[in-house]
Structure formats: structure tokens, C-alpha cells
Amino acid sequence: MAVVIDQPVDDFQIPATSEKTVSLSQLKGKQVVIYFYPKDSTPGCTTEGQGFRDHYAEFQAANTEVFGVSRDSLKSHENFKAKQGFPFELLSDKDEALCQLFDVIKLKKLYGKEYLGVDRSTFLIDKDGVLRHEWRGVKVPGHVEAVLEQAKALNNG
């Protein structure tokens, strides 16, 4: 079942960079931003990741962990993370379990061809594991700042 605003998010466990495994249950007490992006090292995804990187200290100050998710391999993620200096982990969702949970796989078109791809989306989960905000069909400019604003408001609420 896909996530719903103001409802608890089902626990998940997923491989991450830095030889870690991330589960939602281990993050209780912290707010969590999970942003889904189509592909490592592409222009929009790089810009979005850099935005989260550049505001990372502010997210941390708002008791918020940040995770990027795509269907790329851990090896690809490690290279992308190192090249961009991301201070947060990237999650590898090869089997699309997390993509399905958050319902971010959409029919897309590129050069007239249709395919199933990741719809750029971001989710803000509160410290109790409840989904509080979602952004779907994200346009990168100004997005990270909007997420940060909500994270701060939720942390202070």
C-alpha cells in the first residue's frame, strides 16, 4: 500500500552508501526527508542533490536526516556521492520496493518513447514515522528551500 499524508509510513530496510543499511524504524526521533530522483550524475539530479548538500547543515539543525533514492546501483551511488561531496547517504532501490511504497514509478516519455521511470518526488516524515508532506513532479529550482522550510516548521511545531 502506498503512503498517505498524516499516516505512519511502513518500516523499510534498504541498502545505502557507506556500506550501511537504512531502516525507518532506526530513525525514530528524527525527521526524515526522502527524495526520489531518476538517475545518478544527470543534470537535474545533480543540481537537486547539490541543493540538499548545500543546505545539509540546516536540515541537521532542524533534526532532519536526508536520503536520496534512485534505482541506480550502490557502486553508481558511491561514485555520485563522492564526486558531489554529498554528506548524506544515497539509497539503492534496485528492486523498486521503496519506489512502490511511495508510488513514484510513473509512465514517462522521452523522444517519443514511453517507459516507466521515477517521478522526481520528495517526502517529509516526522519524528514518529508519520508522513507529513509530499512533493510530486518536482521542479528543482527552489525545491530544496521549500522542503527545508517545512522541515523547520515541523521541527518547531
Side-chain angles (χ1 to χ4, degrees), residues 26-46:
Q26 79 190 45
L27 296 165
K28 279 269 197 271
K30 289 205 173 276
Q31 297 180 161
V32 179
V33 166
I34 300 177
Y35 77 95
F36 289 84
Y37 62 95
K39 191 146 183 52
D40 288 345
S41 302
T42 56
C45 301
T46 299

Side-chain angles (χ1 to χ4, degrees), residues 68-139:
V69 184
S70 81
R71 298 179 296 181
D72 293 301
S73 68
L74 282 173
K75 185 176 193 295
S76 173
H77 275 353
E78 292 288 4
N79 292 337
F80 186 38
K81 181 182 171 194
K83 187 173 181 187
Q84 297 303 327
F86 294 157
F88 49 84
E89 304 304 336
L90 299 178
L91 311 179
S92 177
D93 194 24
K94 299 246 353 135
D95 65 3
E96 298 181 1
L98 214 53
C99 288
Q100 297 295 337
L101 176 63
F102 285 89
D103 191 28
V104 296
I105 301 289
K106 300 292 179 213
L107 192 60
K108 296 177 139 197
K109 268 190 176 158
L110 184 65
Y111 306 119
K113 289 178 99 168
E114 289 190 338
Y115 67 99
L116 287 173
V118 173
D119 185 37
R120 190 182 307 279
S121 307
T122 303
F123 300 87
L124 176 59
I125 301 168
D126 74 12
K127 61 184 176 37
D128 298 314
V130 175
L131 179 63
R132 294 300 178 189
H133 294 280
E134 65 180 19
W135 295 262
R136 295 182 181 271
V138 166
K139 301 287 181 252

